[in-house]
Structures are given as C-alpha cells and as structure tokens.
Amino acid sequence: MKTLHSLTQQLNHLRQKSEQFRTILPFVGSDGHLSPEQKKPGHWSKQTLPFWGTKGNPPPSGKRQGRSPIMFVLAVVSLTSVMGNRFYNQPTLDVGREAPYTIRARFDASVEDTKTTEEKRKEARTGSFPVLKIDESLNQQINQNLQESLEKIDQWRQVSGAFPFAPTSVLSLSTQQYLRQSEAWEWQAIVAFVEDNAPVNPFEPGVLIPNREKAPLTREFSQAVSELQSYRQLASAEAFSELIQTASKARQGYQKASAQLSSTGTPDSMPAYDVSVLDLSDSTWQKTRQGIEGVTRHILTQGIPPGLPPDLLENAVTVQVSTLIPAEAQPLAIELLSHNLKPNLIEDTEQTKRRAEQAARSVEPVMVTAQKGDVIVEAGEEITQADFVLLDHYGLSRREINWIGLIGFGGLVTGAVGIFWLVERRVHPPLRRRDHILVLLLSLSTPVLALLGGQYNSLPAIGLLVGSFYGLSLGATVVTLLTGLVTFSMEVSWEFLIAGGTGGLVGALLAGRMRSREELALLGGAVGLTQGSVNLVLNLIMSASAGTIWYAVLPGAALYGVSGLAWSIVALGLSPYLERLFDLVTPIRLAELSNPNRSLLKRLATEAPGTFQHTLFVASLAEAAARELHCNVELVRAGTLYHDIGKMHDPLGFIENQMGGPNKHDQINDPWKSAAIIKKHVSEGLVMARKHQLPQAIRDFIPEHQGKLLISYFYFQAKQRAQEKGEESVNEADFRYDGPIPQSRETGIVMLADACEAALRSLKDVTPDTALITVKKILKARWQDNQLVDSGLTKEELSTVAEVFVKVWQQCNHQRIAYPKAALSCQPN
C-alpha cells in the first residue's frame, strides 16, 4: 500500500514538473523574450505563444480557433454562387458581339425593349423642368426693403427742404438748383453783385471776391446774378429780401442733407446714392416713387426665377421704368430697383414631381417589330440592343452557363476573401467559426437584395454591424470588397451602390468608437446624410445640365438618405440579438453589463457586500493598468465586476464578508474542505455566468483571474498537520485552482490587481516607495509561478503595472484633515 501511495506521489510530481517545463520552455532567462531558435516559424504552437494582438483586443471567446479552410471554401462558394447569378443564364449572342451567321425572324413579333424604354423614361424624369411658384414671404421682404430705401430718401429730401423753393417765374429751375449747390464764397459773390447792381461781363476771365483771389466766372454764376438783379428791379425791397432769405435757407438745408448723405452709411438693402436724389423736384420725386412701386408690383407678379443673370434683370427693369418714371429720375430708379429686386420664385415640389412622372408616362414604350423571314442581323454584324431583344424573344440568344466567366469571377471572390483573411490576420485576433459565419451572412444580404430587385442595398447596416462587432479595419474591408464585387457582377445602379458603400464606410469607421445605443442612433443619421449627399452629387455630375436636374434628383437623393437611416435603425435593432446569438462583446454591450443595476451585480452587493467592495477596488486598479497598457478597458471593467460572483454560493466562506464575526473555517477545521470551498467559487461563478447568459469573454475572467494559483494558507496548514501526524507530504494539486491560467492581457491584469488588492488595502501609514516594493514582490511571485506565460504580458510591463497600482492606491488613500478633539466632542444644544 505504501509502495502504491509513493508511486502515485511520484507520478503527480512528474506531471507537475512536465507542466512547469512546458509553460517555462518558451521563455529564456527572466526577461520574457524568445530565443532566435524559438522565434522560427512553426517552432511553437499557437497554444504556447501569447494569443493577443498588440492592441490588447479580446478574443471573441475563450477558445482559440485557427482560420478554417472549410470556412474559406464556404465563403468563396457562397459569394460566387449568389453574386455570379448573371453567369448562370448568360446569352452567347449578346449586345456588342458579332453574329456568327445571318439570323432571320421565325414569325411576326412586336416586342417591347424594356431596357431602352426605362432609360428614356429616366431621362424624361431627370430632364423635366421644375415647376416654380411665387414665394409671398420673399415678396414681403423685397417690398419692405424697398420701402425702407424710399423712406430714407424722403428723410434726406425733407432735410434739404422743398424744391423748387421759389416760383420758376422768379428764378429758373436751373438757377435754383445752382444756388442750393453753391459754395459760401459763390453765394457771397452773387449777393454782392446783386446789391451793388454791378454788371457781370461774360468776357472777363474772373470776378474779384473780397478776401479771396480772383475766382473763375461761370455761366451759371452770371445767370444767377442776372435773374436776381432783374427780380430786384421789379419787386419790392421786402419781397427781394424774403427771396434772398429763402434761397439762403434752401442752400443751408441742401448742404446739410448732402453732408448726411455722404457721411451716413446705407443699409445692405440700399445702394450708395449721390446728391442727384436731392436735385429732383418734389413733383418729379412723387411720380418717381409711385412709378418705382408700380414697377416692383409688376415684376414681382411676373416672378423672378432663381439663377437669372443680373444683366437680364436690369434690362427688364429698364424697359418697365422707361414708361412709368420721368427721364431725369430713371437712372436712380433703375439702380434702386436692380439692387432690391431678388428672385422670388421657388420650386413647387409636388408639381415638379407630378410633371416629372407625367413626362415619364408620356414616353411611349420602345417596340421592336419584325415580320416572318426578315433579317434580324447579318453574319459578321455587331448585335445591337434592338437585335438582341428580338433574338432573346425568339430564343436565339443561346443562354447558357458561362463557365469561364463564373470561374473567373470565383477567382475574383477568392482574392477578395483572401484580402479579408489577410486583414484579419494583421489587425485582429483570429475570429471564431461563428464570427466568420456572421460576416458571411451579412455580406450575402446585399447581393440577395439586388437579386430581389431592391436598389436600397444593405451596405450601411453591414458597415455599422461589422465595424461595431469587429472593429473599423474589418468593417471597412468588408464594405469596400463587397461594393466592388457587387458593382462588377450584378446589374445594380452604380450611383446607388457607391452612395451605399460610402455610407457603409462612414458607419464602419465610427461604429467601434460608439459607447451607447444613443450614439449609434446619431451615427445612423450621419450615415443617412452621407448616403443622400453622395447620391445627389453623383446624379448632378452625370447630368449635362446641373441647374435643370437639381430639382428632379433632390427628392430621390433625400429618399436614398432616408433609406440609409432606415438601414441604420435595422442594424441598431438587430445588434442586441446578434450579440447574444453569436456571443459577441461590443463596447456598448460591455457598458450595459457594467451597469450596477444588473440583477447579478445587485445580488453581489446585497449578498456579499465585502466581495462587492473588493471587486470595486480591483476594478479601479485593473482599469488604470489596462488604460496604461492600451488594452480593452471596457472588457477589463466588465470582467472584473463579474470575476468573483461565485462567492455568492457561500459568502461567509470568504473573510471579506465575515464583518469581524467568527471565521467559518475555524469551525470546519479541515484545510481540504476549506480549500474546496474556496475553489468552488470559480465553478459556481461559471454556473451563474452561464445561467445569466454572460458572454464567453466575460466568463473567461472567472477561472483565469485565479489561474492555477496555490491556496497557500490552507496548503501550509495541511502540511503542518501532516508533519504533526507523521504522514506523507500533502498533494499540492489539491490546493491549487484548476485554471486555466490567464490567456489574455486583460485577464492577466485582473489576476495581478486581485492579488495586490488586499495587500494595498492593508497598508497604512507607509510611503509610496514601500507600497511599490510590496506590489512588485507580489507581481514577481505571480511571474515566477508561471501564471502569466500565456497572457501576453511581458516582464517590463509588470513594472508599469506596479507603478499604476500604487498611483491608484495613493488616490484612494489620500490624507484627510485631522479634526480637533473639541470639535469631535461638540454636541448641539
């Protein structure tokens, strides 16, 4: 019996040694690097080397599956068979090919050329002119601006005074205009000549003015002096004096109005005026104002279309002004109207649509006719569209499977799938088989919709879903490759396909950054806007007359934008179901799982409050380290919150939940039973996680955060009892967790945070350097125990993790102000 027991121990010892040798073998020394021999391709299996990518992204599940050739073949065959539909029934005698022999009509026939008919109807829709209607709000704004301009002119004319200021029988209109505009020295000279009754010699080169050099003599000056002298001789002194005063006031008002006109800035609705607006007589101005208002009503009633050249508008204004406004005021009226009149016609959307549809319906079906015996196409001639319609109708187009084309297209699909596999290998951990199936099903949705005749492809939804599930690189790759393959292989309107592909790219590039369903919904709006805008631009580029086609293609672009939004809503609705069905973890799902109101977390806080507080502190440590090492912080947060849920099976079996009460293990007094209770929180945690349908990536944290650690307290207790009883050594495997050890950087970080939590919490009144030494010892112990060999963490990164842990500890244990005893004992009266 002793021999059998000894043999069993030796076998267990050899098993442990071989396992340690297997886990230690990939590393050389203590630096954690592979030797050159070990770096050779194929030297180590995938299970030996770290599984994680350089960005610390989580694998979709705990199982690491290689890229299956079966999935590769299935993807190529499925995509080729669906998208290669046109190769199944392809005519040998198609448009553009030469007829091998002369083909005649078998019987009388009249066949509609549906392709040509639809092209002509599309041209009729896009080429129809928009229906315009008058916008009354624009008319009101134009009239308001015009009235503001006229009232401003009235204000200036009131400041300048009435004109003419004297009867034209006394002073001519030109003389009155000259006197208002005259400068001070001119007015003084005129008054001096009139009072002295001195004659003005028109042949003199100038006139002598007091305190002024000789000034030039003008005809207007001589005429003004002459008319004033004549009136002085005929009128009384009082009448003449009154005339001089009136002229002086008119001159002063004119000068004041001129100064206001030149110094006051005009509003945007008014052109810049000169003093000519003050030179019109009052009666002329009234006629001008009425004429301007009449011209405005007439032109606005006729309507001004958008895009009308300014010179044409000015010509129309000139024609209207010439019949309603005095000649001397016409330049002013033309300038004022040209500045204020704006296009007041807008598109009547409903009427435009109605007209476009009427134009399309008015296009007669294009019919191709032939009489029995007529030659459809001569031998060697190129087959036209009309010829092909007849050939296909008679069954002479020789439709058959185009094996060469189908095989060639299969090669193209193989290349596209290979590109996807290459991108996956470069930027993402290997996907599971179920992930490949999901991507394939999503990819097949676009060609299937095209086969069903739908022009609103599912590329926006594919971009959003693949980008959200697997990252922007794979999302953009799938959308780009799928757009190219569908464009090449299927009869789909390329402007719709390019617009859908652009919307899908926007969704793929941004979906992975979204952290809530609300953000995804907003992204759906951006996808729809992008898709509609690209569709509009492409249609405008294809049109020869962009100004004409704008109104026709805008409704279609808007509808296509709405379809992009609709596909985004479909993706948003499907994502929760796909996440559960295919066991996916996305940032949004991780955020939802981290909600403390989740039933499992609420139970943990209630049934095991000490464990819950321990979990929160571990989460703080692990999140900070994951952020520093550029790992998946959302996954670390969610995984940490659930890593100890198994302790709810027996909360008092763990010291953090005993709240100073009696220790349950003291009553058990059996280290083997106590170790079984401790180990059971892993198996029970997995049971709870499956029951609550937690994703595999979260469930991985439950066993891997403990790895194959030794439950040292009860192990040494068992060894001590064995020594006291004189028994054989204790089997160490009975006191180790079942594993597996951490398979990712994320679970490795949580293992380290879990190990350091109790030690950091127990440290009081110590320096950060002392805390750092303690943490490094714990991390070193995990490293030397070979718990991190599959995690992807390097020895250099452990120093970074230790420093981060100490920083978090310092933040959580900051010093507080010590209150005086008197303040603490103070009681309210």
Side-chain angles (χ1 to χ4, degrees):
M1 193 69 179
K2 286 185 178 180
T3 305
L4 179 61
H5 182 70
S6 176
L7 181 61
T8 304
Q9 285 185 337
Q10 290 179 7
L11 289 174
N12 288 332
H13 180 72
L14 289 173
R15 180 180 59 80
Q16 293 173 12
K17 289 295 184 181
S18 64
E19 183 176 352
Q20 291 176 2
F21 180 77
R22 182 183 62 81
T23 55
I24 295 173
L25 188 59
F27 294 92
V28 179
S30 59
D31 61 352
H33 294 291
L34 294 172
S35 68
E37 180 66 24
Q38 293 161 343
K39 290 181 180 179
K40 290 182 179 180
H43 189 81
W44 304 110
S45 65
K46 277 188 176 180
Q47 286 74 17
T48 304
L49 297 177
F51 173 61
W52 297 98
T54 57
K55 297 182 179 179
N57 293 322
S61 74
K63 294 183 179 180
R64 293 169 288 184
Q65 299 173 350
R67 294 168 178 83
S68 171
I70 297 177
M71 279 305 306
F72 189 96
V73 174
L74 178 62
V76 171
V77 172
S78 300
L79 292 172
T80 303
S81 60
V82 175
M83 285 190 283
N85 176 68
R86 69 187 180 95
F87 296 104
Y88 298 158
N89 193 27
Q90 197 170 48
T92 304
L93 302 180
D94 203 352
V95 176
R97 295 187 179 181
E98 291 185 359
Y101 51 85
T102 300
I103 304 176
R104 298 179 180 273
R106 294 179 174 179
F107 47 83
D108 296 347
S110 179
V111 188
E112 180 184 355
D113 185 350
T114 55
K115 182 178 180 180
T116 305
T117 301
E118 186 56 36
E119 288 177 354
K120 289 190 174 184
R121 285 176 177 170
K122 184 177 181 181
E123 291 176 0
R125 286 191 189 96
T126 57
S128 62
F129 287 93
V131 177
L132 302 178
K133 64 179 180 180
I134 293 176
D135 188 342
E136 294 299 334
S137 62
L138 289 176
N139 281 358
Q140 185 177 358
Q141 184 64 41
I142 292 171
N143 284 318
Q144 182 180 348
N145 293 339
L146 187 63
Q147 288 301 319
E148 289 177 359
S149 299
L150 296 176
E151 289 173 4
K152 195 67 178 177
I153 295 174
D154 282 339
Q155 292 176 9
W156 290 329
R157 290 182 58 84
Q158 288 176 5
V159 171
S160 66
F163 184 74
F165 57 82
T168 54
S169 59
V170 175
L171 293 176
S172 63
L173 199 62
S174 59
T175 296
Q176 294 187 48
Q177 189 174 21
Y178 171 71
L179 292 176
R180 290 205 311 168
Q181 298 175 357
S182 63
E183 296 185 16
W185 67 268
E186 290 182 280
W187 173 248
Q188 293 173 8
I190 291 171
V191 173
F193 268 85
V194 172
E195 290 179 349
D196 294 343
N197 200 22
V200 178
N201 187 355
F203 299 103
E204 291 183 0
V207 293
L208 289 175
I209 306 299
N211 301 323
R212 186 177 178 88
E213 296 180 356
K214 185 177 264 190
L217 181 65
T218 61
R219 183 179 61 80
E220 291 82 1
F221 182 89
S222 300
Q223 182 177 345
V225 171
S226 176
E227 290 185 9
L228 286 171
Q229 288 177 346
S230 299
Y231 181 73
R232 183 181 184 188
Q233 293 174 0
L234 298 175
S236 62
E238 292 78 3
F240 177 73
S241 176
E242 183 178 353
L243 177 62
I244 294 299
Q245 291 179 0
T246 302
S248 179
K249 290 180 180 180
R251 185 182 157 278
Q252 293 173 1
Y254 184 87
Q255 297 296 331
K256 184 178 180 180
S258 298
Q260 290 182 1
L261 207 157
S262 59
S263 62
T264 304
T266 58
D268 293 338
S269 60
M270 298 175 59
Y273 297 108
D274 55 26
V275 293
S276 62
V277 298
L278 306 176
D279 295 339
L280 299 175
S281 66
D282 290 348
S283 60
T284 301
W285 169 244
Q286 290 302 321
K287 293 179 181 178
T288 300
R289 177 163 184 161
Q290 294 173 1
I292 289 174
E293 293 173 346
V295 171
T296 302
R297 285 193 300 271
H298 191 266
I299 292 180
L300 292 181
T301 301
Q302 290 180 334
I304 305 173
L308 183 68
D311 55 340
L312 293 181
L313 177 60
E314 186 175 346
N315 291 338
V317 169
T318 302
V319 172
Q320 296 289 335
V321 163
S322 62
T323 59
L324 298 175
I325 296 175
E328 61 270 27
Q330 287 181 8
L332 169 66
I334 293 172
E335 183 179 14
L336 184 62
L337 289 168
S338 299
H339 188 84
N340 280 279
L341 292 176
K342 306 293 181 185
N344 66 333
L345 293 176
I346 59 174
E347 181 196 4
D348 188 337
T349 308
E350 293 299 324
Q351 290 296 332
T352 300
K353 288 182 180 179
R354 210 171 279 120
R355 173 181 286 184
E357 289 303 320
Q358 289 175 353
R361 284 196 297 267
S362 65
V363 175
E364 296 292 335
V366 178
M367 306 299 294
V368 182
T369 60
Q371 301 294 325
K372 183 178 179 180
D374 288 350
V375 175
I376 300 176
V377 60
E378 295 282 356
E381 287 186 354
E382 184 177 303
I383 299 174
T384 64
Q385 174 64 24
D387 298 337
F388 174 75
V389 170
L390 290 173
L391 291 176
D392 211 36
H393 179 69
Y394 290 126
L396 301 175
S397 58
R398 296 184 182 177
R399 290 188 176 273
E400 58 186 25
I401 298 178
N402 184 357
W403 289 106
I404 296 177
L406 188 61
I407 294 172
F409 180 68
L412 187 64
V413 172
T414 302
V417 176
I419 292 173
F420 172 83
W421 246 262
L422 181 62
V423 173
E424 176 195 342
R425 180 179 180 182
R426 294 277 183 176
V427 303
H428 198 283
L431 300 182
R432 304 163 301 173
R433 186 172 292 111
R434 66 179 67 183
D435 299 311
H436 287 140
I437 292 174
L438 175 58
V439 173
L440 178 60
L441 291 176
L442 292 174
S443 301
L444 288 173
S445 65
T446 294
V448 168
L449 284 174
L451 289 176
L452 296 176
Q455 63 181 3
Y456 302 112
N457 55 74
S458 59
L459 289 172
I462 295 174
L464 282 168
L465 291 173
V466 178
S468 177
F469 294 159
Y470 307 113
L472 62 92
S473 298
L474 287 182
T477 301
V478 170
V479 171
T480 303
L481 294 175
L482 196 56
T483 303
L485 288 175
V486 174
T487 303
F488 176 80
S489 63
M490 309 188 76
E491 293 184 0
V492 182
S493 180
W494 65 272
E495 66 268 21
F496 289 110
L497 197 59
I498 292 177
T502 306
L505 281 177
V506 172
L509 295 175
L510 299 179
R513 303 178 184 179
M514 302 296 104
R515 293 297 181 266
S516 66
R517 307 286 179 191
E518 181 181 3
E519 290 180 351
L520 266 183
L522 293 176
L523 176 59
V527 169
L529 181 62
T530 301
Q531 188 166 290
S533 301
V534 173
N535 181 266
L536 176 63
V537 170
L538 291 175
N539 277 286
L540 290 177
I541 292 174
M542 290 189 299
S543 171
S545 54
T548 301
I549 200 173
W550 172 278
Y551 298 95
V553 301
L554 185 59
L559 185 60
Y560 202 66
V562 172
S563 76
L565 176 60
W567 276 115
S568 302
I569 295 173
V570 170
L572 188 62
L574 284 176
S575 58
Y577 300 100
L578 295 177
E579 288 169 3
R580 285 186 175 273
L581 183 62
F582 290 90
D583 192 25
L584 299 167
V585 285
T586 62
I588 294 175
R589 190 180 184 193
L590 292 173
E592 293 172 349
L593 289 171
S594 300
N595 188 338
N597 290 318
R598 303 280 297 193
S599 60
L600 206 53
L601 296 181
K602 289 177 71 175
R603 278 186 56 199
L604 182 64
T606 303
E607 299 176 16
T611 299
F612 185 70
Q613 294 301 320
H614 154 80
T615 297
L616 294 180
F617 189 46
V618 173
S620 300
L621 297 173
E623 281 186 57
R627 189 173 291 106
E628 185 69 23
L629 297 183
H630 306 289
C631 298
N632 191 326
V633 178
E634 290 85 1
L635 179 63
V636 168
R637 180 187 303 115
T640 307
L641 290 175
Y642 292 93
H643 81 286
D644 268 347
I645 57 174
K647 290 183 179 181
M648 287 189 288
H649 86 283
D650 189 358
L652 295 180
F654 302 89
I655 192 168
E656 68 264 20
N657 296 314
Q658 294 171 3
M659 305 299 181
N663 192 331
K664 179 178 180 178
H665 297 284
D666 293 340
Q667 300 174 1
I668 296 175
N669 198 24
D670 186 341
W672 279 271
K673 290 183 179 180
S674 295
I677 292 174
I678 299 299
K679 291 170 63 175
K680 194 175 181 181
H681 88 274
V682 172
S683 58
E684 290 294 326
L686 290 172
V687 171
M688 293 180 185
R690 294 189 190 96
K691 181 179 178 180
H692 288 80
Q693 298 181 343
L694 294 182
Q696 182 64 48
I698 300 297
R699 299 202 299 267
D700 289 342
F701 282 82
I702 297 174
E704 290 181 20
H705 87 278
Q706 295 291 3
K708 295 186 177 181
L709 289 173
L710 179 67
I711 307 174
S712 56
Y713 179 84
F714 295 111
Y715 172 69
F716 288 114
Q717 189 182 77
K719 286 185 66 176
Q720 184 179 3
R721 291 191 179 186
Q723 291 175 359
E724 292 174 354
K725 294 180 180 180
E727 296 178 352
E728 298 291 338
S729 59
V730 178
N731 184 6
E732 185 179 304
D734 295 340
F735 293 89
R736 281 191 179 272
Y737 287 97
D738 297 328
I741 61 176
Q743 300 295 300
S744 70
R745 291 158 62 85
E746 283 77 7
T747 55
I749 289 172
V750 174
M751 168 182 273
L752 300 177
D754 187 66
C756 294
E757 182 272 339
L760 287 173
R761 190 183 292 273
S762 64
L763 293 177
K764 303 292 182 184
D765 300 326
V766 297
T767 64
D769 292 337
T770 302
L772 184 60
I773 292 172
T774 303
V775 170
K776 285 186 175 181
K777 286 182 179 179
I778 296 172
L779 303 189
K780 183 179 180 181
R782 293 292 184 268
W783 180 268
Q784 292 178 341
D785 196 25
N786 300 313
Q787 297 296 320
L788 302 173
V789 294
D790 289 345
S791 68
L793 292 172
T794 64
K795 192 172 184 180
E796 291 77 8
E797 289 176 327
L798 295 187
S799 298
T800 303
V801 171
E803 293 173 359
V804 172
F805 285 175
V806 173
K807 286 181 182 179
V808 175
W809 169 78
Q810 286 180 279
Q811 295 167 0
C812 296
N813 293 272
H814 57 275
Q815 293 183 351
R816 300 180 183 274
I817 299 174
Y819 285 88
K821 292 183 178 179
L824 293 173
S825 62
C826 181
Q827 297 293 334
N829 294 328

